[in-house]
Amino acid sequence: MSAALGLKAKPIATEPADDDSDISALINRLTAEVNQIAVDKTKSIQQITNQMKMLALNALIESSRAGAQGAGFAVVAQEVRGVGQQVETIARELESQLTKRTGDLVSSIERMSRRSRGERMMDLSLNAIELIDRNLYERTCDVRWWATDSAVVDCAASPGAAAVSHASQRLGVILGAYTVYLDLWLCDLDGNVIANGRADRFRAVGQNVAHTKWFREAKGLRSGDDYVAGDVENQPLLGNAQVATYCASVRAGGQANGAPIGVLAIHFDWEPQARAIVQGVRVGDSDKARVLLVDSNFRVIAASDGQGILSERISISLNGQASGFYHDRTGALIAFHATPGYETYRGLGWYGVIACGA
């Protein structure tokens, strides 16, 4: 039942990514330790060679004082001095090469870590948008199914008092079982709401919605197999709640190719359901991440911090890609993934986006 699919899925796990982060940190630490050991040891070697050179110099001085008797010792002192210089050169080269290699290794690890983090955030962006897609696919199935309900069809065909009462009662029963909706409206072809499932809560009956985009598009549907998925919006007739409206045409006899006789609109209770998605993405505290869902105009329609919903527009450097990640001018990581759609639901050009602080 769709009520059981109200976006209450278990949070997206990130333990493997945490392990990757720990391994990267460990390698970085060990590399830094190796680099420090190399520097310390080469400095020790340089100190010893300096002592050797000093001893060799003193030996040369003493051999010169000894005259002919010290000539043989002078040769040994020169050799010791030469060996000391060679050891010093080798020590400097060793320090230089080890420092460069360990520096290159640290840089490579940092690049790999940044890439791993970016790919992880991109995958989490995909998971978020996929989860909402799968849920909204259910909404498209619901509205097409309920548009064929006999009470809905009979009321659209002949909206007398008894038919309206029966249709409203039937819509109320549906709402009791499918908890992800705020209300269900049956409209005539002029856009007048003639029945709704929560008449005791929302005074929608008698209101005209012909001006709305979703109604105009629904009125033009070619068959009962088609549907309209509206943009997320604040609906004044539902207490200005955030809703995603899905519509199907009601057809004569409940047949997919029957003559259109009305429009069924179902209002998905967007805010709590979408919030469960973006707050359920388990990014680490250290990521300082903001998880977003944005529409095709890059308007924020869900945010893990609850800010900017339906009012903020963000800028994403897509570079012609459906998914990717990059660092902006501030150094913040931006990961994104376009909706892939699900089954017959093609998606609306939305994106899952995760912005991580620098």
Side-chain angles (χ1 to χ4, degrees), residues 131-149:
L131 192 52
I132 197 70
D133 276 351
R134 293 184 183 190
N135 193 277
L136 297 182
Y137 164 72
E138 292 288 330
R139 314 290 69 87
T140 69
C141 296
D142 289 346
V143 70
R144 287 177 287 178
W145 172 27
W146 297 336
T148 66
D149 187 281

Side-chain angles (χ1 to χ4, degrees), residues 126-315:
L126 171 61
N127 288 341
I129 196 66
E130 274 191 324
L131 192 52
I132 197 70
D133 276 351
R134 293 184 183 190
N135 193 277
L136 297 182
Y137 164 72
E138 292 288 330
R139 314 290 69 87
T140 69
C141 296
D142 289 346
V143 70
R144 287 177 287 178
W145 172 27
W146 297 336
T148 66
D149 187 281
S150 60
V152 171
V153 173
D154 292 346
C155 184
S158 182
V164 168
S165 177
H166 182 47
S168 297
Q169 181 183 21
R170 173 60 182 157
L171 295 176
V173 170
I174 293 172
L175 285 171
Y178 291 77
T179 59
V180 297
Y181 296 104
L182 273 179
D183 205 2
L184 312 180
W185 296 350
L186 175 59
C187 310
D188 64 21
L189 292 179
D190 293 322
N192 299 306
V193 180
I194 58 177
N196 73 315
R198 289 195 171 123
D200 58 335
R201 182 177 172 187
F202 303 115
R203 297 182 179 275
V205 173
Q207 301 292 329
N208 187 276
V209 295
H211 63 284
T212 62
K213 180 182 176 183
W214 50 261
F215 178 82
R216 293 196 306 269
E217 291 180 354
K219 188 176 178 180
L221 290 173
R222 292 180 295 179
S223 80
D225 294 327
D226 299 322
Y227 64 87
V228 168
D231 293 328
V232 178
E233 62 180 2
N234 293 113
Q235 175 50 252
L237 297 178
L238 297 175
N240 217 37
Q242 297 171 16
V243 297
T245 301
Y246 288 75
C247 303
S249 56
V250 181
R251 303 260 165 176
Q255 300 299 312
N257 31 352
I261 56 176
V263 168
L264 180 65
I266 64 175
H267 300 290
F268 181 61
D269 192 6
W270 174 260
E271 194 277 330
Q273 312 301 328
R275 184 178 68 239
I277 287 288
V278 293
Q279 291 186 350
V281 177
R282 275 201 261 170
V283 291
D285 293 338
S286 61
D287 288 315
K288 302 176 183 178
R290 187 185 186 208
V291 183
L292 306 170
L293 296 175
V294 302
D295 64 16
S296 59
N297 294 314
F298 302 102
R299 180 185 58 149
V300 174
I301 55 177
S304 58
D305 61 0
Q307 302 298 309
I309 301 174
L310 303 188
S311 61
E312 179 186 357
R313 293 183 188 274
I314 64 172
S315 177

